[in-house]
Amino acid sequence: MASNKQLSIIIPVYNTEKYLKKCLDSVVAAADSCMEVLIINDGSTDNSEELILEYCQMHPTLFCYYKKQNGGLSDVKNYGLARASGEYVIFLDSDDYIEPQMYREMLSAAVSSQADVVVCDFQMVFENHTPSYVVHCNNPNRNTVFEQVLDTWMMGTSCNKIVKRILYNGLEFPKGMNNEDICVTPTVLGRANKIIVINKPFYNYLQRQGSIQNSEFDERRFVILDAAKMAVEYAKELPLEKQNLIKCSLYLHQILAMAMYPIREQPFKKRYLLLRKYMDNVYRLFPDFMNVGAFDEFVTWDGIRVRSYRKITLALLKNQLYRTTSLFFSIVNYFS
């Protein structure tokens, strides 16, 4: 494929034939001649390859097809980055789809403003017909755009961010690990000299039944701790102020959020056992967990009931009173 492309779109594919046509149709509608689309088949065993080849035949100047042995999502992303030729790069999950104006508008903003990163909002879409809703990609109450983008629970996601490819140099998505974006994206954002936010829900993020994120909670989700640890290590190349901002974001929106929401929602006995094991791992990996300034502000947001919930939860977790925390969560769940 030609090397003068402005944007490389990398689509990892693994057994998503049910969703792939909608994904690729959305890319065809959104792409133009300055873009290349790298479809990487990660050893699919369904009929995904047949559909990919059909689109490559229909759009030979747009799609470039790669087939490799199964190595997982991180392996595919590293593989794609090594073969991308665009000045900018973005990922697209093959079960999601995008709005027609997404790539053109974001790329235009990047080029005209000489930005390193352009970020857009999400539309959360559900298979079970739950009403969709928008997730914003930034918190406008923060001072800098870097802080605004960090201060969201979807900060790590790579699919809503057009990024100068050079910002990924020297970084690798960790093979065999879920939450791989959390490891890499904070440092990519920290390397950027200029970030632009477009508050439009260009990216349609499908919530699939049976996926790890939407299935019954178990200890597999504790991988977020390993991902956060790697993110902190990668970020050590950045100025100390940016390192601290990244750490605050990870502690608040990833690590604490896991305890306060999905673990809280489990049945009492399971909740207690999960919480105890989870927090033991948290304190082992992050000895300074309770000492970040982000928590002081966190307990001042929203109404009095929410503020009280947060203050009590933090106090109980700080004192490692996990059975009491679980009992308190039962009360919260009852009144929620």
Side-chain angles (χ1 to χ4, degrees):
M1 191 163 285
S3 60
N4 62 344
K5 301 296 183 179
Q6 286 183 301
L7 177 64
S8 296
I9 303 155
I10 299 173
I11 308 178
V13 177
Y14 180 71
N15 290 351
T16 51
E17 63 171 312
K18 178 180 177 182
Y19 312 96
L20 190 53
K21 185 178 188 304
K22 188 169 188 176
C23 174
L24 297 181
D25 282 341
S26 74
V27 172
V28 170
D32 60 30
S33 59
C34 70
M35 306 174 193
E36 63 175 4
V37 182
L38 286 66
I39 307 179
I40 303 170
N41 181 0
D42 191 37
S44 295
T45 57
D46 62 1
N47 293 319
S48 293
E49 183 174 42
E50 296 177 16
L51 191 58
I52 294 169
L53 293 174
E54 180 182 330
Y55 275 80
C56 289
Q57 187 174 17
M58 290 190 295
H59 307 279
T61 62
L62 177 62
F63 291 111
C64 186
Y65 178 47
Y66 297 91
K67 184 177 182 179
K68 58 182 286 298
Q69 289 186 335
N70 180 258
L73 191 53
S74 290
D75 191 47
V76 175
K77 289 183 174 181
N78 295 330
Y79 185 97
L81 284 172
R83 288 157 180 78
S85 64
E87 180 183 4
Y88 292 87
V89 65
I90 192 168
F91 297 94
L92 170 58
D93 289 345
S94 58
D95 51 356
D96 298 332
Y97 59 98
I98 60 170
E99 296 301 314
Q101 66 271 40
M102 176 173 175
Y103 294 147
R104 296 186 188 95
E105 189 166 332
M106 292 177 72
L107 183 60
S108 176
V111 173
S112 63
S113 301
Q114 296 184 312
D116 297 313
V117 178
V118 180
V119 190
C120 73
D121 294 337
F122 292 90
Q123 180 96 344
M124 307 296 280
V125 183
F126 296 84
E127 274 192 320
N128 63 1
H129 306 298
T130 297
S132 62
Y133 63 89
V134 173
V135 175
H136 293 295
C137 64
N138 68 315
N139 178 355
N141 297 317
R142 298 300 173 211
N143 294 323
T144 67
V145 180
F146 175 64
E147 292 175 86
Q148 290 178 16
V149 174
L150 279 184
D151 195 21
T152 68
W153 64 279
M154 294 290 283
M155 169 272 294
T157 309
S158 60
C159 294
N160 73 324
K161 298 173 180 69
I162 281 182
V163 175
K164 269 195 175 176
R165 181 161 53 94
I166 195 172
L167 296 186
Y168 282 105
N169 284 358
L171 298 174
E172 280 199 350
F173 293 95
K175 296 179 182 179
M177 182 186 295
N178 291 320
N179 298 106
E180 74 287 339
D181 283 345
I182 288 294
C183 305
V184 174
T185 302
T187 296
V188 168
L189 293 171
R191 288 176 171 182
N193 291 316
K194 186 173 185 179
I195 302 171
I196 290 178
V197 167
I198 297 178
N199 284 126
K200 298 180 182 179
F202 287 149
Y203 193 89
N204 295 288
Y205 184 17
L206 181 66
Q207 303 301 291
R208 291 168 54 185
Q209 295 174 327
S211 68
I212 290 178
Q213 298 300 324
N214 292 294
S215 57
E216 184 178 357
F217 190 97
D218 60 35
E219 291 182 23
R220 289 179 299 169
R221 299 276 292 277
F222 289 7
V223 71
I224 190 62
L225 300 179
D226 296 319
K229 186 69 173 178
M230 185 171 290
V232 170
E233 291 300 314
Y234 274 156
K236 286 182 178 178
E237 69 172 51
L238 301 173
L240 187 59
E241 182 181 2
K242 286 189 172 182
Q243 289 186 49
N244 289 333
L245 289 169
I246 287 171
K247 182 181 287 189
C248 284
S249 173
L250 293 167
Y251 283 15
L252 178 58
H253 293 293
Q254 306 300 326
I255 298 174
L256 180 62
M258 184 70 72
M260 294 186 71
Y261 302 105
I263 291 180
R264 188 198 86 196
E265 294 168 358
Q266 306 309 306
F268 176 79
K269 183 177 180 180
K270 180 178 180 181
R271 179 197 311 149
Y272 165 64
L273 294 173
L274 285 170
L275 184 65
R276 184 179 65 184
K277 187 168 186 178
Y278 179 73
M279 292 306 301
D280 284 348
N281 284 325
V282 169
Y283 288 122
R284 175 177 57 83
L285 292 171
F286 307 98
D288 64 339
F289 177 68
M290 280 295 175
N291 299 324
V292 295
F295 291 171
D296 296 333
E297 185 180 4
F298 179 59
V299 297
T300 67
W301 297 341
D302 301 314
I304 187 169
R305 285 182 60 183
V306 175
R307 295 199 304 269
S308 299
Y309 160 58
R310 291 169 176 168
K311 288 178 182 178
I312 293 169
T313 301
L314 282 171
L316 292 172
L317 292 178
K318 186 173 184 178
N319 289 284
Q320 301 183 31
L321 300 172
Y322 303 134
R323 188 177 295 277
T324 306
T325 307
S326 296
L327 287 168
F328 174 64
F329 283 168
S330 293
I331 298 171
V332 173
N333 292 340
Y334 179 80
F335 286 102
S336 295

